[in-house]
């Protein structure tokens, strides 16, 4: 019987990390949201939240699904890479573009894990089951089939103290918490799961912009390394028009810029390069 993965349930951001009564919570990982389907006949599909086929980029996950996951099973979870004591999102980005022998080598160098947090198909559609029933079935799948790395069962709790303790893992790459109502089915595309992201504030230098210097769309940020070189650290989302106009009103200083000629990655989920407009440095070495 032919079946397909459901549209994934997205999350809505909340300010409070408090666990509401009647809800469970899970760690929110710094990785790629991914659904996994193991079909009959040895067919495996690993797809992104946007329905991009990522199977070829993660051959170790496909091999584990073939060896361990029973046919007619659909899972929802997160792809992560662990490196040097932390989750390395940038390695996932680098792996996404690789296929064939390149993907095999990347799997050896930066092996991924698939952290499973939901069950959506088990010899039939189970999205109509409440979260508690799906969770029990998911735990039974891992126990009965003895699923092991790179397949990992995501922790879940209804204990506020346990959830609070997970927030101490942020240095290792935990982004926050996800909240799911115990009696809720898996509603395709419904934004009813909640997420709380731990936020840290830091300073950065606006080293360049996209769009134009007269009408900036986004800003590219940098920080100085120990050798006093300005290194690119990331970019923001699209600027509101008022903020873009205010930024454009600042006259760029003159002088050489260390990013001249650089190419900047737009990052997940695209593989495009950012077209940067490079302001010039002033005599005091500060950037606009």
């Amino acid at each position: 019987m032919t079946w397909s993965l459901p549209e994934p349930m997205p999350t809505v951001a909340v300010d409070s990390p408090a666990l509401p009564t009647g809800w469970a919570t899970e760690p929110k990982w710094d990785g790629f949201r991914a659904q996994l389907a193991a079909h009959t006949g040895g067919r495996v599909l690993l797809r992104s939240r946007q329905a991009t086929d990522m199977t070829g980029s993660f051959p170790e996950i496909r091999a584990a699904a073939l060896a361990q996951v029973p046919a007619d099973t659909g899972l929802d979870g997160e792809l992560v890479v662990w490196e040097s004591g932390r989750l390395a999102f940038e390695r996932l980005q680098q792996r996404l573009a690789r296929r064939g022998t390149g993907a095999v080598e990347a799997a050896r160098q930066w092996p991924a894990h698939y952290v499973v947090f939901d069950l959506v198909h088990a010899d039939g559609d189970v999205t109509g089951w409440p979260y508690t029933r799906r969770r029990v079935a998911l735990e039974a799948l891992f126990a009965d089939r003895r699923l092991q790395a790179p397949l990992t069962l995501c922790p879940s709790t209804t204990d506020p103290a346990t959830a609070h303790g997970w927030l101490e893992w942020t240095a290792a790459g935990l982004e926050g918490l996800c909240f799911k109502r115990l009696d809720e089915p898996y509603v395709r595309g419904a934004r009813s799961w909640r997420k709380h992201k731990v936020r840290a504030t830091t300073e950065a230098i606006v080293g360049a912009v996209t769009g134009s210097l007269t009408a900036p769309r986004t800003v590219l940020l940098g920080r100085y390394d120990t050798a006093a070189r300005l290194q690119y650290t990331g970019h923001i989302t699209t600027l509101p028009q008022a903020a873009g106009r205010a930024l454009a009103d600042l006259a760029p200083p003159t002088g050489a810029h260390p990013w001249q000629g650089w190419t900047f990655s737009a990052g997940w989920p695209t593989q495009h390069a950012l077209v940067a407009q490079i302001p010039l440095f002033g005599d005091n070495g500060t950037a606009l």
Side-chain angles (χ1 to χ4, degrees):
M1 181 178 178
T2 302
W3 59 275
S4 59
L5 290 164
E7 182 182 353
M9 288 185 69
T11 57
V12 60
V14 295
D15 293 331
S16 174
L19 175 58
T21 302
W23 294 65
T25 188
E26 303 163 355
K28 186 182 187 307
W29 310 98
D30 187 12
F32 287 167
R33 176 78 176 273
Q35 292 179 314
L36 177 67
H39 295 280
T40 56
R43 186 163 60 93
V44 172
L45 171 65
L46 182 69
R47 76 176 193 183
S48 74
R49 184 177 56 189
Q50 293 82 14
T52 301
D53 187 347
M54 302 187 292
T55 317
S57 296
F58 298 93
E60 73 274 39
I61 305 300
R62 179 182 182 274
L66 286 172
Q68 302 182 47
V69 179
D72 286 331
T73 298
L75 304 170
D76 197 355
E78 195 92 1
L79 283 168
V80 298
V81 168
W82 184 262
E83 182 184 47
S84 301
R86 56 178 287 271
L87 296 177
F89 184 79
E90 64 275 13
R91 298 305 186 195
L92 286 169
Q93 292 178 306
Q94 292 168 359
R95 290 200 53 183
L96 189 65
R98 303 196 182 187
R99 296 289 191 276
T101 56
V104 173
E105 172 59 25
R108 184 198 63 79
Q109 188 175 6
W110 306 310
H113 284 72
Y114 183 52
V115 184
V116 184
F117 53 66
D118 217 323
L119 179 69
V120 296
H121 199 94
D123 289 327
D125 184 3
V126 301
T127 56
W129 293 0
Y131 172 85
T132 49
R133 185 179 177 186
R134 299 197 314 274
R135 179 69 193 189
V136 168
L138 180 61
E139 292 176 357
L141 172 66
F142 267 79
D144 296 345
R145 292 284 179 161
R146 299 181 180 179
L147 303 188
Q148 55 187 326
L151 306 178
T152 305
L153 178 64
C154 181
S156 174
T157 188
T158 56
D159 176 34
T162 300
H164 181 76
W166 288 342
L167 295 175
E168 299 177 1
W169 299 359
T170 53
L174 182 76
E175 289 190 322
L177 300 172
C178 287
F179 303 105
K180 302 175 182 180
R181 211 175 69 225
L182 296 175
D183 60 355
E184 185 175 37
Y186 191 102
V187 184
R188 302 162 185 252
R191 192 178 292 273
S192 55
W193 288 351
R194 302 175 183 177
K195 66 179 178 182
H196 169 75
K197 293 185 70 172
V198 176
R199 299 190 180 276
T201 301
T202 188
E203 293 184 349
I205 294 170
V206 177
V209 300
T210 65
S212 69
L213 293 178
T214 56
R217 288 181 50 81
T218 65
V219 298
L220 280 62
L221 303 174
R223 299 186 72 175
Y224 286 109
D225 61 18
T226 55
R229 295 169 300 199
L230 186 65
Q231 299 292 345
Y232 172 66
T233 58
H235 65 93
I236 68 167
T237 55
T238 303
L239 286 165
Q241 288 187 354
R245 288 194 297 268
L247 184 61
D249 288 340
L250 300 175
T254 59
H257 196 293
W259 290 355
Q260 200 69 45
W262 284 26
T263 299
F264 300 89
S265 170
W268 173 259
T270 74
Q271 299 179 32
H272 301 299
L274 292 169
V275 179
Q277 300 296 324
I278 305 293
L280 301 178
F281 265 98
D283 294 336
N284 60 358
T286 59
L288 171 64

